[in-house]
Amino acid sequence: MLTSLSLIFLVGLAMGAICQRLKLPRIIGMLVTGILLGPYVLDFLAPSILSISAELRKMALIIILLKAGLSLDLNDLKKAGRSAILLSFVPASCEIIGYVLFAPVILGISRIEAAVMGAVLAAVSPAVVVPRMVSLMERKYGTEKAIPQMIMAGASCDDIFVIVLFTTFLSMAQGGRADITDFVNIPVSIILGILLGAVAGYGLYLFFETSYAHRHCVRNSMKVIIVLGFSFLLIAIEGWLEGKVSISGLLAVVSMACVIKLKSTAFVSKRLSEKFGKLWLAAEVMLFVLVGAAVDIRYTLSAGIAAVFMILIALAFRAGGVLVCTAKTKLNWRERLFCVIAYLPKATVQAAIGSVPLASGLDCGKIVLSVAVLAIIITAPLGALGIDSTYKRFLEKEGK
């Protein structure tokens, strides 16, 4: 395992640096590193680390979500209220509709299989989007109209909506039926996640304040460890309650960080944000290299041009959904176009659930996985490169 970790960090960082010198996003180098080192090409990564890959990816995602919550200004987010809510489900719904309408014709699958494929492909990648939105917030690009906050909030909820739909469509494709409670669980999961995180965040704030009042000041480094521990616990609670109560652990993590920022002094929240930013340097490499390692490149070759064409059509439907969400807002056409670009990347969810239909024995399993792999390879670099190369031209810098 130690050899695998050294390869992940050293090769991942080296490839990221090479891409950066070529004016490309670092994550492209990291994804390529994962694909090359993974079990489907060179097979240099130990089975022991691949067996816990999903948990390691989730830990990395938690770190960037904590950083996001500590950087999020709730007053700014209120400016984008309606659009942020719509972005959490409209673009994904439009993309699924695109697959249901065109995949049976282009890829020769049934409508319900197309719905399963759409649910796998419709999730935006918070791992690609969130760190970039945090960076824009720190640099004050688009913050006057709360554009990064809006995209970040929408992307965080988007995954919950899509995964619930995926579970429902998968059951239907296996001969089951849709249960109305599955759809009711979407808002329930969001609301309970936010409430649970808010309670945890307020409890941590009181603990830190009480310690300070009794002259037992908790150092910021220790606060980072405590906050991380509670974050892992919130994710664990989601697993414990699965099948009983629907709750979003990832949203709880963001909510907890937001409350800590809201109640703490500006200095403390800034220091915590900086420390989680440093942790993200290592977590980013781990996340994207392991996402790349989950990509079975063999399925890419079998997908063909038809799959690429289908992905592009679905992205056009997704872009239409984003434009609908930002209609009749204060955003100009360049800012709306930036929102479209920011909603392109796919990676983490597709790597996590892309193989489930195949493992479940569905006839469409192989083509779903093929399209999921292609979508990661096409949209993750495309979205990251698009965000990095357009934000200065499309967004206004606050106070400029």
Side-chain angles (χ1 to χ4, degrees):
M1 182 181 283
L2 291 178
T3 305
S4 297
L5 285 172
S6 69
L7 287 172
I8 287 171
F9 285 117
L10 297 178
V11 181
L13 283 172
M15 291 288 281
I18 290 169
C19 285
Q20 206 166 22
R21 291 293 297 270
L22 296 173
K23 305 296 183 185
L24 295 171
R26 283 158 45 87
I27 71 157
I28 296 177
M30 296 172 194
L31 285 171
V32 170
T33 299
I35 292 170
L36 293 177
L37 296 179
Y40 308 110
V41 182
L42 298 176
D43 195 18
F44 282 173
L45 299 182
S48 55
I49 202 163
L50 292 174
S51 67
I52 58 169
S53 172
E55 286 75 16
L56 291 173
R57 295 201 306 264
K58 186 166 283 189
M59 288 169 63
L61 195 55
I62 286 168
I63 290 170
I64 190 54
L65 288 175
L66 284 169
K67 166 78 171 164
L70 290 166
S71 304
L72 194 61
D73 191 321
L74 295 178
N75 292 322
D76 284 343
L77 187 57
K78 290 176 185 176
K79 300 176 187 175
R82 179 184 69 90
S83 296
I85 293 170
L86 291 176
L87 282 170
S88 66
F89 69 93
V90 172
S93 299
C94 290
E95 187 166 0
I96 292 171
I97 290 170
Y99 278 100
V100 171
L101 291 177
F102 288 94
V105 178
I106 296 173
L107 301 175
I109 59 179
S110 69
R111 297 284 180 196
I112 187 59
E113 288 174 338
V116 172
M117 179 182 287
V120 170
L121 273 293
V124 71
S125 173
V128 179
V129 174
V130 172
R132 281 168 170 73
M133 295 306 109
V134 171
S135 176
L136 294 184
M137 287 158 57
E138 290 173 345
R139 300 179 194 181
K140 300 294 183 182
Y141 277 97
T143 50
E144 194 167 336
K145 295 182 182 177
I147 295 169
Q149 294 93 323
M150 174 184 71
I151 293 170
M152 192 164 69
S156 299
C157 297
D158 171 276
D159 288 0
I160 301 163
F161 174 71
V162 167
I163 289 171
V164 170
L165 288 184
F166 169 72
T167 305
T168 303
F169 292 146
L170 185 66
S171 174
M172 292 169 66
Q174 290 174 315
R177 60 185 182 85
D179 192 335
I180 191 67
T181 57
D182 290 335
F183 296 98
V184 172
N185 279 339
I186 296 172
V188 170
S189 175
I190 293 171
I191 293 168
L192 289 182
I194 292 172
L195 288 176
L196 177 63
V199 170
Y202 190 69
L204 285 176
Y205 157 73
L206 290 178
F207 171 70
F208 295 149
E209 286 296 303
T210 304
S211 300
Y212 182 76
H214 288 82
R215 298 177 182 269
H216 299 294
C217 184
V218 180
R219 296 178 58 187
N220 286 326
S221 299
M222 190 63 70
K223 287 178 183 176
V224 167
I225 296 171
I226 293 170
V227 170
L228 262 180
F230 268 86
S231 300
F232 296 155
L233 184 61
L234 292 175
I235 299 296
I237 288 172
E238 178 184 2
W240 298 340
L241 297 179
E242 190 174 357
K244 303 183 185 80
V245 180
S246 184
I247 189 165
S248 169
L250 292 179
L251 267 185
V253 169
V254 177
S255 175
M256 179 181 72
C258 285
V259 171
I260 292 172
K261 173 186 168 65
L262 187 67
K263 302 301 292 183
S264 302
T265 63
F267 175 76
V268 170
S269 60
K270 184 172 183 292
R271 290 288 294 157
L272 286 176
S273 180
E274 287 172 354
K275 287 186 178 294
F276 278 110
K278 291 173 182 176
L279 275 179
W280 172 243
L281 293 174
E284 179 186 36
V285 182
M286 180 72 72
L287 175 61
F288 288 111
V289 171
L290 290 177
V291 166
V295 170
D296 190 341
I297 201 71
R298 296 171 299 177
Y299 286 109
T300 309
L301 303 175
S302 66
I305 300 299
V308 176
F309 186 47
M310 184 63 246
I311 290 169
L312 295 177
I313 290 174
L315 289 179
F317 271 78
R318 185 177 193 82
V322 175
L323 292 175
V324 167
C325 295
T326 54
K328 295 184 179 180
T329 63
K330 294 179 180 178
L331 305 189
N332 59 41
W333 71 266
R334 289 182 302 172
E335 291 163 338
R336 294 176 71 195
L337 182 57
F338 177 82
C339 294
V340 169
I341 294 168
Y343 252 63
L344 292 179
K346 302 173 187 303
T348 38
V349 174
Q350 289 71 30
I353 67 174
S355 61
V356 172
L358 183 62
S360 301
L362 294 185
D363 294 337
C364 65
K366 186 172 180 179
I367 188 64
V368 169
L369 181 55
S370 301
V371 177
V373 169
L374 262 180
I376 293 172
I377 292 170
I378 293 170
T379 65
L382 182 66
L385 185 60
I387 293 169
D388 293 348
S389 61
T390 61
Y391 74 90
K392 288 184 180 179
R393 285 179 290 156
F394 288 2
L395 302 180
E396 293 178 11
K397 187 169 185 177
E398 189 176 344
K400 190 173 180 180

